[in-house]
Amino acid sequence: MRMSRKQSRLRWVAPIAVLTALSSVIAPAANAGVLYPLDRALRLNQMQVMGTHNAYKTGLIPEGLPPSLAENLGGEVAIEEITAGLDYGHKSLTEQLSRLGVRQLALDVYADPQGGNFTEKPMLAEVGAPTRMVDPEWNEPGLKVFHVPQVDQQTSCVRFTSCLDELQQWSTENPGHLPITIFVEIKDTDALRTYQHPPMPQWGPADYDELDAEIRSVFPDDKIITPDDVKGDYPTLEAAVLDQQWPTLAESRGKFMFVNCNCLVGDRHRLDYIRPDGSLSGRVLFPASKPGNPDAAVVLAEDPIKDAGRIRQLVEAGYLVRTRADANTVEARRNDTTPREAAFASGAQFINTDYPEPDPRLKNDYAVQIPGGTPARCNPVNAPASCKSQDIENPAFLRIPPG
């Protein structure tokens, strides 16, 4: 069902108006059993949420992309086509979680152990744009969050820890929220050939350790769902997953789960992240993997139409699955909701989009929101028939700004 821009903006107001009095007198964290009577029965894999792709990205600079970007790619793709694929942006992480009901975020993370590695942007002189990032955080050591060097570095939070601090603050203000899943895409390739100081810094053991350390520097252990938590005494993580051992919602509320996206580089980032003995002992992130691997728990199946049957089988088996409702702005520009509807029907737990709300520039109402008007809903494939969306997350029990 298509949703107008006005409907999208107002989708949170009605439940809040009806239940504000209740939410003001009941503390969600202290009364989870009262507010969510199925919490001890429902498990983390029995819900479905909407997530934002490149959640930090605020949009392209107004001057546009430098013409040499197309030349770097051999002229095979016109600058207009590249621009169209990159021309989207998101509100702050806080607004996504509060107003738009996002419960899964994707962050691209670059290693920058000395700091200042991504401060200069000489390519932008071609379009008369500033050639230096002014935020002092770009010069500080630590992992950085952005999309593409030089040409697409606009971000709502420069340092990875800054992004996490914002999420932690929202979580503190909204106890009892559903677990928030963060897909971390480790970036050390130069697909658009924009990096001006070759070679692109490659991730090594120290960087993966830094990734874990930065997460733990913001979130205490009792706020993180880790592979060790799910594996328990099972011989492998996959064995636990196939035996339906994801934590219950009672055990998951108020927590965060991190996934090593392992995107676009074959299997390198997964293999480099696991321990030499093949385990994930002490690690923070679940690697996106494939069934049959000992660490298989989260699987990517990005085409909800082509992969529909496979996604359903994976969900029924016990895996968490991420798929995409749209990509490269194509579906949004066409107002093509077919992949969106297929994604929701597939049972994939995470439905990724670049459009949690309509983009007024496109002059249509394309957006991806959980059917029914709640931040999440019961999974259509594996949740019990008695489950209702309000059993997963009730907007009235959160501090959500009106409008």
Side-chain angles (χ1 to χ4, degrees):
M1 180 179 70
R2 295 179 180 177
M3 183 182 301
S4 71
R5 288 166 54 194
K6 182 177 181 181
Q7 287 172 322
S8 176
R9 183 176 64 83
L10 296 177
R11 61 186 298 273
W12 301 103
V13 176
I16 294 174
V18 173
L19 295 165
T20 294
L22 179 61
S23 65
S24 66
V25 298
I26 300 178
N31 297 277
V34 175
L35 301 184
Y36 297 106
L38 298 184
D39 261 18
R40 297 188 182 280
L42 294 173
R43 293 188 178 272
L44 186 151
N45 64 317
Q46 291 180 299
M47 63 182 184
Q48 186 176 67
V49 304
M50 179 268 290
T52 43
H53 171 243
N54 295 340
Y56 55 85
K57 185 173 148 61
T58 58
L60 292 176
I61 59 172
E63 294 86 352
L65 299 179
S68 63
L69 180 58
E71 298 171 8
N72 288 352
L73 299 175
E76 297 177 1
V77 183
I79 195 69
E80 293 79 12
E81 185 176 349
I82 301 173
T83 299
L86 297 177
D87 194 12
Y88 61 91
H90 296 295
K91 301 297 194 304
S92 71
L93 302 183
T94 299
E95 188 167 356
Q96 290 179 55
L97 293 171
S98 293
R99 185 173 66 84
L100 299 175
V102 173
R103 292 296 177 266
Q104 180 257 301
L105 303 156
L107 304 176
D108 291 349
V109 178
Y110 290 78
D112 191 12
Q114 282 76 48
N117 212 37
F118 304 100
T119 303
E120 303 296 334
K121 304 183 296 177
M123 285 181 71
L124 298 191
E126 298 175 33
V127 293
T131 59
R132 183 178 178 83
M133 304 302 288
V134 297
D135 191 319
E137 286 198 337
W138 288 102
N139 295 317
E140 297 176 8
L143 303 174
K144 301 299 191 299
V145 175
F146 64 96
H147 192 212
V148 180
Q150 299 202 70
V151 299
D152 197 14
Q153 283 192 218
Q154 304 302 107
T155 178
S156 62
C157 45
V158 175
R159 295 190 61 185
F160 185 50
T161 50
S162 298
C163 301
L164 301 184
D165 284 338
E166 184 175 352
L167 299 178
Q168 170 71 310
Q169 178 64 33
W170 181 87
S171 178
T172 299
E173 295 175 354
N174 293 278
H177 64 78
L178 275 183
I180 308 299
T181 303
I182 314 298
F183 277 75
V184 177
E185 183 170 347
I186 294 164
K187 300 295 280 284
D188 60 2
T189 58
D190 189 18
L192 295 186
R193 304 173 193 171
T194 60
Y195 189 68
Q196 297 296 299
H197 308 283
M200 170 74 74
Q202 298 294 292
W203 278 58
D207 300 305
Y208 292 107
D209 290 343
E210 176 67 14
L211 177 61
D212 282 356
E214 290 201 6
I215 294 172
R216 291 189 184 279
S217 75
V218 175
F219 297 105
D221 288 347
D222 63 0
K223 291 275 286 185
I224 309 171
I225 300 169
T226 69
D228 286 338
D229 294 332
V230 178
K231 176 179 175 293
D233 295 329
Y234 283 78
T236 66
L237 177 60
E238 184 183 50
V241 166
L242 295 179
D243 200 29
Q244 310 298 320
Q245 292 303 303
W246 289 106
T248 64
L249 293 189
E251 297 167 325
S252 304
R253 291 195 184 277
K255 296 185 180 182
F256 290 78
M257 174 177 163
F258 293 84
V259 176
N260 170 359
C261 184
N262 192 35
C263 305
L264 306 178
V265 292
D267 209 23
R268 173 164 58 87
H269 290 152
R270 180 184 73 88
L271 295 173
D272 288 349
Y273 183 72
I274 60 178
R275 301 296 188 189
D277 65 359
S279 78
L280 290 165
S281 177
R283 285 299 199 190
V284 175
L285 287 81
F286 293 77
S289 191
K290 294 182 179 179
N293 289 333
D295 59 6
V298 181
V299 180
L300 304 181
E302 307 286 57
D303 187 333
I305 297 176
K306 176 182 175 182
D307 297 331
R310 176 171 172 258
I311 292 172
R312 185 181 186 91
Q313 291 175 350
L314 290 167
V315 171
E316 289 174 339
Y319 300 100
L320 294 178
V321 181
R322 188 190 82 172
T323 194
R324 294 185 67 173
D326 47 73
N328 302 319
T329 77
V330 172
E331 290 80 7
R333 292 178 186 279
R334 296 174 179 170
N335 205 11
D336 179 5
T337 62
T338 304
R340 181 187 74 185
E341 303 312 317
F344 281 123
S346 72
Q349 288 87 354
F350 307 114
I351 313 298
N352 254 213
T353 181
D354 293 324
Y355 297 90
E357 60 181 344
D359 183 339
R361 300 175 304 165
L362 301 184
K363 302 186 186 309
N364 63 40
D365 62 357
Y366 182 86
V368 178
Q369 289 284 347
I370 292 293
T374 53
R377 69 170 183 170
C378 309
N379 191 288
V381 168
N382 65 2
S386 60
C387 180
K388 303 294 186 293
S389 293
Q390 299 291 339
D391 295 325
I392 304 293
E393 189 166 82
N394 190 328
F397 303 146
L398 302 171
R399 287 184 54 190
I400 300 175

